[in-house]
Amino acid sequence: GGEGGYFDHDEAHSGLQEREAIAALFDRWNEALATKNPAAVADMYGHDAVLLPTVSNEVRTTRAGIMDYFSTFLKLAPQGKVDQSTIRLLSPDVALHSGVYSFTLNPAEGETKLVQARFTFLYRKYNGRWLIAEHHSSAMPEQKPAGVEEMFDKWNAALQTGNPEIVADLYAPDGVLLPTVSNQVRTCRQGIVDYFSNFLKLKPYGTINKSVVREVSPGVAINSGVYTFKLTTPESGEVRDVRARYTFIYKQFDGKWFIAE
């Protein structure tokens, strides 16, 4: 009986290793994008691979077609990141990696954009080497409202100035603040400035661990999730991490996003 358990464990272990190898293929593909060389990217695809890309309606079924697509896409200096995904081994030689990824696009002219898309990579072993047999990518049905995701970074940057007035500038005129480390609800600019005068003494630096951004109606958006703050105790200089759930409600005024709550 003991031996059976041992083999089960071994099989699970090799399955895990195989999954990690599949996950690493995305990083290799992303590194190939960073070379800006379409041939290096095409090398990641099998000889009979099919590509259904995000930003083109043309299905690519040849190496030349795949290179042609990437020679245009690589001009945007894309850098990808998997937001959420699932890896399944369909057989010892076939694996599926699907989920949602985000691309930062940095065109030579124009501003940096974040594009989120759904993806499926079907991998097959060609002569013992995992390559992409099919790659399907499609834009998300609802795009995140432009500019909302960056609001947290703006707010965090305002915290780094140590100036409560600069932080308060990010709040709408009728903004409401329900802070983490105070039970008092702040409903006016002076109250918000007053709260941050104390909070900024802790030299807070925030990082989002997990977030969901969605537009609730035109000009109103929500960013909610979990963030961690590094706080420094003024007297001792001791640094601690505080993790909390958060919700920012943003409203647009004259085309600019502000924190409403």
Side-chain angles (χ1 to χ4, degrees), residues 128-257:
R129 192 169 156 237
W130 286 110
L131 292 174
I132 300 164
E134 190 162 314
H135 175 193
H136 178 223
S137 186
S138 61
M140 297 295 277
E142 50 186 66
Q143 285 293 356
K144 290 178 183 176
V148 169
E149 219 153 10
E150 296 84 73
M151 283 299 294
F152 179 82
D153 296 331
K154 275 189 185 166
W155 181 74
N156 200 29
L159 296 182
Q160 305 320 300
T161 67
N163 181 342
E165 297 285 346
I166 290 176
V167 182
D169 286 344
L170 294 173
Y171 287 78
D174 56 352
V176 174
L177 169 65
L178 298 92
T180 322
V181 292
S182 156
N183 295 329
Q184 197 184 327
V185 177
R186 317 287 168 140
T187 55
C188 65
R189 182 183 172 97
Q190 197 41 56
I192 290 169
V193 168
D194 172 62
Y195 169 74
F196 281 110
S197 315
N198 285 317
F199 185 55
L200 291 176
K201 288 176 187 156
L202 301 174
K203 298 189 177 146
Y205 186 86
T207 308
I208 288 183
N209 305 110
K210 201 172 168 186
S211 78
V212 179
V213 174
R214 57 213 179 277
E215 192 159 22
V216 189
S217 68
V220 180
I222 293 182
N223 180 355
S224 58
V226 177
Y227 55 22
T228 300
F229 270 96
K230 275 200 185 313
L231 303 176
T232 306
T233 310
E235 296 77 35
S236 63
E238 182 201 339
V239 178
R240 63 201 163 99
D241 280 353
V242 175
R243 204 171 144 109
R245 285 177 296 191
Y246 73 85
T247 301
F248 284 103
I249 299 176
Y250 297 105
K251 252 167 52 192
Q252 242 178 354
F253 295 88
D254 299 326
K256 253 181 94 180
W257 290 105

Side-chain angles (χ1 to χ4, degrees), residues 79-138:
Q79 274 299 275
K81 171 173 92 57
V82 172
D83 299 318
Q84 57 186 82
S85 72
T86 307
I87 291 170
R88 298 191 290 284
L89 290 167
L90 305 183
S91 79
D93 291 337
V94 180
L96 198 61
H97 186 187
S98 57
V100 175
Y101 52 22
S102 293
F103 277 94
T104 307
L105 304 178
N106 302 285
E109 263 126 63
E111 50 183 77
T112 300
K113 278 205 318 195
L114 192 72
V115 175
Q116 200 173 43
R118 291 175 292 190
F119 73 85
T120 301
F121 284 103
L122 181 72
Y123 293 105
R124 223 172 65 218
K125 270 189 182 169
Y126 293 77
N127 300 325
R129 192 169 156 237
W130 286 110
L131 292 174
I132 300 164
E134 190 162 314
H135 175 193
H136 178 223
S137 186
S138 61

